[in-house]
Amino acid sequence: MENNPELKLSWQIAENTGVNIFLTGKAGTGKTTFLRDFITKTHKRCVVLAPTGIAAINAGGSTLHSFFQLPFGPFVPTSGFSDQRTFRFSKRKIGLIRSLDMIIIDEISMVRADLLDSVDAVLRRFRDRTRPFGGVQLLMIGDLQQLAPVAKQEEWEILRPYYDTQYFFSSKALKECGFITVELQRVYRQNDNEFVELLNAVRTNTADADVLARLNNRYFPDFNPNEGDGYIRLTTHNEQADRINHQKLDELPEDSVIFKAIISGDFPELSYPTLEKLELKVGAQVMFVKNDSCTPKRYYNGLLGKVVSLSSEHIEVLPQDADTGILVGREKWTNVRYVLNDETKNIEEEVIGEFDQVPLKTAWAITIHKSQGLTFDKAIIDVQKSFTHGQTYVALSRCRSLSGMVLTAPISARAIINDPYVLAFTENIPSQIPSLSRVEELEREYFLSLVAELFDFRHVRYAFDSYLRLVDEHLYKQYPKALQQLKEARQKFSQQIDHVASSFAIQYTSIIRQGYGYATDTLLQERCKKGAEYFANEVKTLRSLVESLGISTNNKTISERLVRYTEELIDNIRIKFILLSYVSVRGFERDTYLRQRALASIGENAPKSKTKQKKNKKTSRKKDSNISYSNTRAAYDAERDLEESANTYLYEDLADYPDAPDFAHEGMPY
């Protein structure tokens, strides 16, 4: 990274700002390596998602559809998932979603605009409804010049009125919040400068007659390599690759041995990395489809070789250009989902399915689609039937060198298919890359946004207003005194929280925007501590009032709404109180604040209002249906105990503060 300015810039933006990033670059520029390195070292809580099962397995993550429980088919952005039954997330899953700082999407070129907007709809529902993607940061990785998203004609007819293109950059949510593009320049896969030049011309649709002529110098009619030469053929269609592999395998005189996969749990067939029933023979050309799990690493995903010894008990493969064979055992692929660890509160991968098989596939031929991400020393390329954007470029760019490439037919201009929308987008990329001064400003704005978030009470106010409106409209006769107390509390909220927060914002905004060492500024830290102490006391007072009122009703519909609104208000206050309490002692430090915010977000919420109680046989059915806030006071007391436990956890690293501090009201923070 130190020798690659674009990689360094990408890391700085991803780690130190909250802006959305599109990390792109030619094939072989290190995008996948960056992803794997980032997720192991970042301070942010993130998940890795991808548009397809195979891409998700390769990235070590989950698919967008499975993580967000999205229905297949087009998403009309005006619908906003009006069907409430679409989402049946557990509280733990909701807590996980709320605790995220970043979502990494690999192979973003294959993500349709409406899919990204459906992700936005879910995130808004369970996070911040007023912000695109609920305020979570996106790191989108991929190359638009490679494989494009798939939209059937009938699906695109539905989507066309809403989107100018099917690509992710046409997402309405993404247009609303914007993103920064960083393009990696250094190519690690190819060292042949002439070949890199030719590939770039194909990629950017500038392949003139001279470029085509130089590429077509690699056309050799009736080229028929020797079995030991190790060429792999890249085709545009599955049936072509399957036909070649079956034919070549049938030509071998040795007996076949069948290796059956052991599949457990949830592992969709579309995500299988190789065949469920793998037929091999001595002499078969094979490709490893997984990196070696042993040490030292003997093989890697995409390595070609030849089966030299075979039985039902063992397989020996001689890799290309090697003198020693490899005894190949079985490997496991896992299908995972993200879950929260109850003890550490960290996001972890839970294996929900396994695919156990020999990590090989017959590989005289492979489709261009399945070759994405792989590198070959010798390849025979057949792109005569190229049918989609980027297909020819992907095929050519799999080769390490021009000398290792053979064409089955001359490449015509017709075979190089480029989407004009993609070309227009990529032409503007250089102007989108931020300067170092701009990145420093983005870091400052991110820091400011987190401080402002801490002292922003909109969510508490919205929840309080919903609760107050319900009582005012439906329960004013039963609880006139309580209603009066709530109205007085709402006025106090405006004066002592909203008004004070607005004035306080002027102070911390001025300090952060004007100071060079704003993150450690003594005055800022003092103000943040005092402000947090003041507001923690105010929200605590509001919670005490709401819990003391004991409002209930026999009307089932109103009662259910009352419980829901009460839970929402109490939970918003709980989260805000925990964060304010922490900052009042520790001050404001970006990374630790993010950690505490995540812990607060995944803390235990109030129990479900519809939790069944043991019924007294003498109690009437009508009384049993009376779900009220007062009837769940015991549950809220239990929830308060959980909150106190959470506070102890939050402060466990503060030797001077073994218990949550007692917040005395010392006046306003300014």
Side-chain angles (χ1 to χ4, degrees):
M1 191 180 301
E2 292 300 322
N3 298 321
N4 190 318
E6 290 82 20
L7 278 177
K8 190 174 181 179
L9 178 64
S10 302
W11 191 285
Q12 186 177 359
I13 297 173
E15 183 71 358
N16 300 330
T17 81
V19 69
N20 299 322
I21 315 153
F22 172 39
L23 178 63
T24 188
K26 305 178 183 70
T29 50
K31 297 184 293 294
T32 300
T33 302
F34 176 89
L35 185 157
R36 292 172 179 167
D37 200 27
F38 184 80
I39 60 178
T40 61
K41 297 178 181 178
T42 180
H43 290 91
K44 294 184 176 180
R45 292 170 67 89
C46 56
V47 293
V48 181
L49 307 177
T52 67
I54 292 176
I57 296 296
N58 290 339
S62 180
T63 66
L64 287 159
H65 284 90
S66 63
F67 184 81
F68 290 110
Q69 298 181 18
L70 300 173
F72 289 95
F75 170 77
V76 177
T78 56
S79 67
F81 285 125
S82 57
D83 185 356
Q84 297 285 339
R85 295 170 298 175
T86 301
F87 306 108
R88 295 179 180 177
F89 293 161
S90 67
K91 286 190 175 181
R92 294 183 70 218
K93 181 63 173 287
I94 294 172
L96 187 155
I97 291 174
R98 287 176 175 171
S99 75
L100 290 174
D101 301 311
M102 172 185 286
I103 294 174
I104 303 174
I105 305 178
D106 197 22
E107 300 293 3
I108 190 66
S109 69
M110 293 191 288
V111 175
R112 250 175 28 193
D114 65 309
L115 176 55
L116 207 54
D117 279 339
S118 65
V119 169
D120 168 68
V122 179
L123 291 172
R124 285 185 194 252
R125 172 162 294 180
F126 294 114
R127 290 173 60 97
D128 188 338
R129 297 182 182 182
T130 65
R131 301 171 66 189
F133 303 104
V136 74
Q137 182 184 19
L138 301 184
L139 170 55
M140 303 166 286
I141 301 176
D143 181 7
L144 282 166
Q145 298 291 3
Q146 297 190 41
L147 298 179
V150 176
K152 298 177 182 178
Q153 184 61 34
E154 58 271 23
E155 293 178 333
W156 183 236
E157 290 302 321
I158 295 173
L159 297 173
R160 190 189 301 276
Y162 306 98
Y163 298 102
D164 47 4
T165 81
Q166 60 186 342
Y167 294 97
F168 79 93
F169 55 77
S170 291
S171 154
K172 293 186 177 300
L174 197 58
K175 285 183 176 180
E176 182 179 345
C177 58
F179 60 96
I180 281 177
T181 301
V182 177
E183 184 173 21
L184 303 180
Q185 300 294 337
R186 181 176 176 182
V187 178
Y188 294 94
R189 181 175 294 155
Q190 294 95 9
N191 295 318
D192 182 342
N193 290 333
E194 179 189 10
F195 191 30
V196 171
E197 178 188 339
L198 296 176
L199 287 176
N200 195 51
V202 174
R203 184 176 189 269
T204 58
N205 199 33
T206 56
D208 55 18
D210 177 64
V211 169
L212 293 176
R214 290 157 67 189
L215 285 171
N216 289 330
N217 284 334
R218 302 304 305 166
Y219 166 54
F220 300 109
D222 304 319
F223 178 79
N224 189 19
N226 297 321
E227 285 298 326
D229 288 347
Y231 278 88
I232 187 170
R233 188 180 296 264
L234 303 185
T235 68
T236 53
H237 292 75
N238 278 310
E239 55 268 25
Q240 292 173 283
D242 292 342
R243 183 175 64 252
I244 293 169
N245 286 328
H246 288 145
Q247 178 183 335
K248 289 289 188 179
L249 192 64
D250 289 342
E251 290 174 356
L252 296 176
E254 284 75 10
D255 293 333
S256 296
V257 178
I258 305 295
F259 297 88
K260 294 183 179 179
I262 302 171
I263 303 166
S264 59
D266 181 7
F267 205 107
E269 186 174 353
L270 290 175
S271 300
Y272 289 177
T274 187
L275 294 175
E276 182 179 357
K277 293 182 179 180
L278 178 63
E279 180 183 2
L280 296 177
K281 291 182 179 181
V282 171
Q285 180 166 295
V286 292
M287 182 176 70
F288 287 92
V289 291
K290 196 177 193 299
N291 295 333
D292 192 359
S293 59
C294 298
T295 303
K297 305 299 182 184
R298 302 162 299 162
Y299 54 83
Y300 55 86
N301 185 21
L303 176 65
L304 292 176
K306 180 180 180 181
V307 178
V308 294
S309 178
L310 181 67
S311 73
S312 60
E313 303 297 327
H314 86 283
I315 307 170
E316 184 178 0
V317 174
L318 181 66
Q320 273 186 353
D321 303 322
D323 299 322
T324 306
I326 298 173
L327 289 177
V328 184
R330 299 175 75 94
E331 290 273 8
K332 285 185 179 180
W333 290 260
T334 57
N335 184 24
V336 303
R337 66 181 174 191
Y338 290 99
V339 297
L340 286 169
N341 183 304
D342 289 331
E343 295 182 1
T344 67
K345 305 302 181 184
N346 289 330
I347 298 174
E348 297 181 351
E349 295 177 351
E350 179 183 63
V351 176
I352 60 173
E354 289 185 342
F355 184 91
D356 184 305
Q357 177 60 294
V358 176
L360 299 169
K361 64 169 54 174
T362 53
W364 287 279
I366 188 175
T367 61
I368 296 168
H369 184 88
K370 292 178 181 176
S371 74
Q372 187 160 341
L374 302 180
T375 304
F376 302 115
D377 290 316
K378 299 176 181 179
I380 302 171
I381 296 177
D382 179 3
V383 290
Q384 296 179 77
K385 298 181 180 179
S386 179
F387 60 88
T388 189
H389 162 81
Q391 201 169 29
T392 296
Y393 171 69
V394 171
L396 298 177
S397 62
R398 299 310 94 195
C399 300
R400 200 182 297 277
S401 66
L402 191 61
S403 61
M405 182 179 74
V406 173
L407 301 177
T408 61
I411 296 178
S412 66
R414 187 172 58 253
I416 302 175
I417 303 173
N418 292 95
D419 192 312
Y421 289 105
V422 171
L423 293 175
F425 177 86
T426 54
E427 284 176 359
N428 291 325
I429 284 179
S431 64
Q432 299 177 33
I433 299 175
S435 64
L436 291 178
S437 61
R438 174 58 178 154
V439 174
E440 291 176 358
E441 188 60 30
L442 288 171
E443 291 176 343
R444 185 190 300 268
E445 290 301 318
Y446 180 51
F447 186 90
L448 174 58
S449 72
L450 293 177
V451 175
E453 172 191 272
L454 173 65
F455 297 109
D456 181 357
F457 297 90
R458 282 179 302 164
H459 296 298
V460 177
R461 182 172 69 252
Y462 294 158
F464 189 16
D465 286 345
S466 296
Y467 175 79
L468 175 57
R469 190 180 306 112
L470 181 70
V471 175
D472 194 15
E473 291 178 357
H474 300 282
L475 303 172
Y476 62 94
K477 291 183 179 179
Q478 298 97 308
Y479 296 98
K481 184 177 179 180
L483 177 59
Q484 182 60 34
Q485 289 178 286
L486 288 172
K487 288 183 176 181
E488 291 173 357
R490 181 62 181 86
Q491 175 134 13
K492 183 180 177 183
F493 191 102
S494 295
Q495 295 171 347
Q496 299 189 8
I497 294 182
D498 278 343
H499 175 70
V500 176
S502 296
S503 300
F504 187 43
I506 298 173
Q507 282 192 43
Y508 63 70
T509 300
S510 176
I511 297 172
I512 294 171
R513 286 188 171 161
Q514 293 179 15
Y516 289 104
Y518 57 88
T520 57
D521 184 270
T522 303
L523 178 60
L524 176 67
Q525 295 302 323
E526 178 192 343
R527 293 291 81 202
C528 283
K529 287 181 180 180
K530 287 292 185 181
E533 182 178 349
Y534 168 80
F535 288 115
N537 184 74
E538 292 297 321
V539 296
K540 184 179 180 181
T541 300
L542 176 60
R543 173 169 177 163
S544 298
L545 171 64
V546 174
E547 289 181 340
S548 68
L549 295 178
I551 297 175
S552 65
T553 177
N554 291 326
N555 184 304
K556 183 177 180 180
T557 301
I558 301 302
S559 182
E560 288 177 347
R561 289 176 60 193
L562 177 65
V563 172
R564 186 169 71 252
Y565 290 171
T566 305
E567 289 179 354
E568 183 179 357
L569 175 56
I570 295 296
D571 194 50
N572 274 287
I573 294 174
R574 176 188 65 81
I575 293 172
K576 188 63 70 174
F577 177 76
I578 289 175
L579 294 176
L580 291 167
S581 301
Y582 186 84
V583 172
S584 72
V585 176
R586 283 288 296 268
F588 191 93
E589 195 277 325
R590 188 194 66 194
D591 291 342
T592 56
Y593 172 76
L594 291 175
R595 170 69 176 168
Q596 303 312 318
R597 186 179 68 175
L599 290 172
S601 298
I602 61 180
E604 294 290 335
N605 296 325
K608 292 181 179 179
S609 60
K610 293 185 180 181
T611 300
K612 293 182 179 179
Q613 307 290 334
K614 291 183 179 180
K615 293 184 178 181
N616 187 328
K617 292 182 179 180
K618 296 181 180 180
T619 304
S620 68
R621 183 178 302 273
K622 181 177 180 181
K623 189 172 182 179
D624 283 338
S625 66
N626 178 17
I627 305 170
S628 68
Y629 175 72
S630 60
N631 289 342
T632 60
R633 278 301 300 272
Y636 281 103
D637 290 339
E639 190 264 348
R640 180 182 293 178
D641 292 336
L642 287 169
E643 178 185 308
E644 291 173 355
S645 298
N647 282 336
T648 302
Y649 180 81
L650 292 173
Y651 290 101
E652 65 182 2
D653 59 341
L654 303 178
D656 296 333
Y657 296 90
D659 301 309
D662 182 21
F663 297 101
H665 190 154
E666 295 183 358
M668 297 185 179
Y670 60 89

